Each structure stands twice: as structure tokens, then as C-alpha cells.
């Protein structure tokens, strides 16, 4: 099986490496194909595509869209998208437009907890200010000495249920899937094991996603613990989803798996890349 890695981040959203550095790292690790899937933006795709062509690694333009599904925030990855498609451009813009207001609310909570300057601090760490993310707040909290690492920043402040988490309305699931389809891409439910859904809600989500035209779920991802792979393998089989594989890499010291270094997909699954394989 070829080494496809179809979920990664760069400095265009909350990653630490430039698009070029990411592609180079994946190529060094032996990846045959790589996708860049930044949060709610396609800003890094041109540079990453250029680097992939130069290095001779197969290139898959992607995006990871933030979605609100009831009280749950989901991530829907679009693979093989045309970043110039109008619905995608407008849709992603509408999501990004909400990020600064949310960030201001996060900063206000932190200030009330005795941690001033978080908005300015997070912005200073965000190379693409239009995708100001909780990850940038996490890095600011490390820098400010409030926590020892970014994981602790989420565990103590930023994760759902923690004091500096603020509810936010992202895209709807039907819209996100439609933008991806309208840009020629394949919709993939990212890291389904991370949403903490009860079995009935999980079933509802998978059925709704499939009904809307979602075609794949991530099975082998840096955002699943290895012991979760078997369960999501079985879910992919049961629902007839194609399977995706991606590191969800954000940068040195912040991600358990480097691009191109994941275990293979289980043999019994049909890889999502069979859709556009040569
Ligand atoms: P945002 O889209 O601004 O809410 O930020 C979401 C990003 O924060 C995710 O893509 C992850 O990179 C990171 N993140 C979210 N939850 C956690 C968590 N519990 N632990 C570590 N990182 C997280
Ligand atoms: Mn992220
Ligand atoms: Mn995600
Ligand atoms: Mn991701």
C-alpha cells in the first residue's frame, strides 16, 4: 500500500511549519502523497503544491472545515478540492469571520482569571491572523508561564468544559459537505474518535454524514490513539465508508505522529485515495 498522508497543518492555520517545510518533512519520511488540510483556509495550498511538484511527491489539496453539530464541534476534511470554487471561498470566509470575535471572548475570560494580554499574545503567534485558533492561545499560555505545555493549556483552560472554552457557531454539516462537493472534493469525517459521542449520537452523525454525501472517515490518524483504530475500522466497514489516513501533524513537540510515519490502513478497508488513484 502506498504511503498517503491526508491530514496536516501549516503556518497558514495552527501548524508550526511553513507549507514548504511540511512537504519536505513528509517527503523525507517517505510519504508518496501528502495533503495540506489547514483549518478553514486554503491559503497554504499554492505554496505546498509548488513544493510537492518540485520534490516529486503526489499532491492532494485539502482543507479542514470547522462545523457545529448540536453542541459538538466536528471537523470535516475536504480532499482534492478546487480552492477557487466560489462556494468554498465564500463559505470558508464566513467561518473565518467569526474567529476574531470568539478570540476576544476567550481573552476576556483569561483576563478575568488573572492572565492579561492573551489576544495580543495569541495574535503575535499567528502567522495567518485570519485563522486565529485556540492552539495560538495555548502557545501563548506556555509562553506566559501559565502552563508547561500546550496540552496542559487545553486540559486546564481551553478544552470544552474548561473555563476559557467559549461556545461558538461554526458552519453547518450540510453546508460544509456541500462546499466540498461543489469544489470537486471528497468529504471525510476527521478523527471521529475525538468527539466523545454516545453510541446513539455516533450512529446519528454517521448516518447523517453519509446521507449528505460524506464518503470517508479517518481511521488511522495521529488524533486517534492506536487502540482506537480497530473500532473505527469496523465502523468504516459497517457503514460502507472509504477510509482515510493522516498524521494531523501540527509541529515538532506538539504532535504524536510525524507526516508520513503512520501505520498502514487495515487491509480490509478501501482507501479514500482509490477515488483518484492513477
Ligand atoms: P479552534 O479551531 O480554534 O477551536 O482550535 C482547534 C484546534 O485546537 C484543533 O485543531 C487542535 O489543533 C487543537 N485542540 C483542540 N482540542 C485540543 C485538545 N483537547 N488537546 C490538544 N489540542 C487540541
Ligand atoms: Mn489544529
Ligand atoms: Mn481536527
Ligand atoms: Mn487537523
Amino acid at each position: 500500500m502506498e504511503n498517503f498522508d491526508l491530514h496536516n497543518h501549516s503556518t497558514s492555520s495552527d501548524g508550526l511549519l511553513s507549507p514548504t517545510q511540511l512537504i519536505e518533512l513528509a517527503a523525507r519520511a517517505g510519504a508518496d502523497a501528502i495533503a495540506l488540510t489547514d483549518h478553514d483556509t486554503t491559503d497554504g495550498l499554492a505554496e505546498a503544491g509548488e513544493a510537492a511538484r518540485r520534490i516529486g511527491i503526489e499532491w492532494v489539496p485539502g482543507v479542514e472545515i470547522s462545523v457545529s453539530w448540536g453542541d459538538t464541534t466536528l471537523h470535516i476534511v475536504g480532499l482534492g478540492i478546487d480552492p477557487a470554487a466560489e462556494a468554498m471561498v465564500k463559505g470558508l470566509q464566513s467561518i473565518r469571520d467569526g474567529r476574531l470575535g470568539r478570540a476576544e471572548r476567550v481573552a476576556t475570560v483569561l483576563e478575568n482569571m488573572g492572565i492579561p494580554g492573551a489576544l495580543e499574545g495569541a495574535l503575535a503567534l499567528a502567522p495567518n491572523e485570519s485563522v486565529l485558533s485556540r492552539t495560538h492561545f495555548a502557545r501563548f499560555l506556555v509562553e506566559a508561564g501559565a502552563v508547561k505545555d500546550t496540552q496542559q493549556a487545553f486540559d486546564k483552560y481551553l478544552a470544552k468544559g474548561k473555563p476559557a472554552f467559549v461556545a461558538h457557531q461554526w458552519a453547518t454539516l450540510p453546508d460544509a459537505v456541500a462546499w466540498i462537493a461543489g469544489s470537486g472534493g471528497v468529504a471525510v469525517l476527521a478523527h471521529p474518535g475525538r468527539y466523545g459521542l454516545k453510541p446513539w449520537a455516533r450512529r446519528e452523525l454517521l448516518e447523517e454524514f453519509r446521507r449528505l454525501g460524506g464518503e470517508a472517515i479517518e481511521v488511522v490518524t495521529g488524533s486517534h490513539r492506536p487502540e482506537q483504530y480497530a473500532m473505527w475500522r469496523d465502523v468504516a466497514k459497517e457503514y460502507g465508508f472509504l477510509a482515510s489516513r493522516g498524521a494531523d501533524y501540527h509541529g515538532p513537540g506538539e504532535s504524536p505522529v510525524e507526516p508520513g510515519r503512520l501505520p498502514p490502513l487495515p487491509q480490509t478497508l478501501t482507501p479514500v485515495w482509490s477515488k483518484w488513484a492513477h
Side-chain angles (χ1 to χ4, degrees):
M1 181 181 288
E2 288 183 289
N3 184 352
F4 276 65
D5 190 323
L6 300 179
H7 185 152
N8 289 288
H9 296 275
S10 76
T11 44
S12 287
S13 64
D14 61 349
L16 289 169
L17 302 187
S18 72
T20 300
Q21 289 172 318
L22 175 78
I23 303 300
E24 288 172 349
L25 181 62
R28 280 203 299 279
D32 299 304
I34 178 96
L36 178 64
T37 55
D38 275 313
H39 298 286
D40 306 327
T41 184
T42 60
D43 285 353
L45 297 184
E47 181 188 323
E50 186 53 43
R53 271 186 292 279
R54 179 168 49 77
I55 292 165
I57 181 173
E58 191 173 333
W59 164 240
V60 180
V63 67
E64 181 173 20
I65 303 180
S66 309
V67 163
S68 292
W69 189 74
D71 291 340
T72 304
T73 298
L74 304 174
H75 286 169
I76 306 296
V77 162
L79 295 176
I81 58 160
D82 170 6
E86 194 183 350
M88 178 65 82
V89 170
K90 287 191 171 155
L92 296 181
Q93 180 69 49
S94 72
I95 305 180
R96 290 195 303 271
D97 285 346
R99 279 188 173 269
L100 190 58
R102 180 188 68 145
E104 286 168 351
R105 288 186 287 149
V106 171
T108 301
V109 177
L110 289 171
E111 176 142 29
N112 291 337
M113 295 178 79
I115 305 173
L119 183 62
E120 298 70 22
L123 276 168
L125 296 172
N128 184 358
E129 292 190 356
S130 76
V131 193
L132 188 56
S133 134
R134 278 185 291 161
T135 310
H136 301 113
F137 280 98
R139 292 177 190 145
F140 162 78
L141 288 167
V142 175
E143 206 181 73
V147 289
K148 70 172 186 341
D149 56 28
T150 54
Q151 189 55 57
Q152 196 179 46
F154 279 94
D155 295 345
K156 204 169 160 189
Y157 295 103
L158 299 166
K160 191 174 178 185
K162 302 301 171 181
F165 177 87
V166 303
H168 186 69
Q169 204 56 44
W170 303 104
T172 69
L173 185 58
D175 279 351
V177 175
W179 300 338
I180 292 167
S183 68
V186 180
V188 183
L189 179 63
H191 42 65
R194 271 188 52 166
Y195 304 128
L197 297 172
K198 303 241 171 9
W200 64 267
R202 186 169 73 220
R203 172 160 294 280
E204 200 168 303
L205 170 61
L206 293 164
E207 286 177 351
E208 183 178 343
F209 181 60
R210 191 174 54 184
R211 190 166 64 241
L212 290 168
E215 291 181 78
I217 67 171
E218 289 182 349
V219 174
V220 173
T221 149
S223 285
H224 283 169
R225 296 184 307 280
E227 60 269 25
Q228 291 179 291
Y229 296 165
M231 169 182 165
W232 295 100
R233 172 200 65 202
D234 293 348
V235 168
K237 273 269 169 224
E238 180 188 345
Y239 287 81
F241 283 120
L242 302 170
S244 194
R245 171 178 184 268
D248 203 0
Y249 183 71
H250 283 75
E254 290 194 7
S255 299
V257 188
E258 290 200 339
R261 296 195 188 276
L262 289 157
L265 278 180
Q267 292 266 341
T268 50
L269 297 179
T270 307
V272 66
W273 55 88
S274 67
K275 292 272 297 177
W276 65 84
H278 24 285

